[in-house]
Amino acid sequence: MTQDLDTVFAALADPTRRAILSMLLEDDMAVTDVADPFEMSLAAISKHLTILANAGLITQEKRGRVKWCKLEPDALRAASIWMQSFGQFEAVNLDAFEAFLEREFGPDAG
């Protein structure tokens, strides 16, 4: 699972790939339509799409002469579960904690 998470997070590390995923939230898109808003070559976009596909975040299929990209909705599940595990602890209010220490142990406790 660690290797899968590494691959997913590496894919998500690039802003172009995150933008592509956001675009695919709306609907499946042809590769040429995915490339349209970016100022880079179709070959560069194809490399980004390959990275996303290798991470399992998208699938690509050929329909006729056109290659289509589809977001895989469950692909981020493991990453999401991993990230949520850090949310199980409430943020510590250091000011309140310091005030508590002063009340309990005196002003030199903090």
Side-chain angles (χ1 to χ4, degrees), residues 2-18 21 48 51-52 54-55 57 76 79:
T2 301
Q3 184 177 4
D4 293 340
L5 282 176
D6 291 347
T7 305
V8 168
F9 284 121
L12 294 174
D14 185 88
T16 299
R17 292 192 286 270
R18 290 192 306 271
L21 291 175
H48 285 295
I51 291 168
L52 291 170
N54 288 341
L57 298 171
L76 289 173

Side-chain angles (χ1 to χ4, degrees), residues 93-107 109-110:
N93 181 333
L94 294 178
D95 291 333
F97 184 62
E98 185 175 12
F100 167 78
L101 290 176
E102 283 185 18
R103 279 192 313 275
E104 293 295 315
F105 302 105

Side-chain angles (χ1 to χ4, degrees), residues 57-76:
L57 298 171
I58 67 167
T59 54
Q60 294 181 302
E61 72 173 290
K62 200 157 190 181
R63 298 180 199 162
R65 301 171 90 191
V66 179
K67 196 175 213 179
W68 287 80
C69 301
K70 177 182 177 181
L71 183 69
E72 288 302 316
D74 292 333
L76 289 173

Side-chain angles (χ1 to χ4, degrees), residues 11 14 16-17 19-21 23-24 29-35 38 40-60 67-70:
D14 185 88
T16 299
R17 292 192 286 270
I20 291 169
L21 291 175
M23 292 166 52
L24 292 173
M29 295 179 75
V31 170
T32 52
D33 293 333
V34 169
F38 300 100
M40 60 180 71
S41 68
L42 190 56
I45 289 295
S46 291
K47 286 181 183 181
H48 285 295
L49 293 173
T50 298
I51 291 168
L52 291 170
N54 288 341
L57 298 171
I58 67 167
T59 54
Q60 294 181 302
K67 196 175 213 179
W68 287 80
C69 301
K70 177 182 177 181

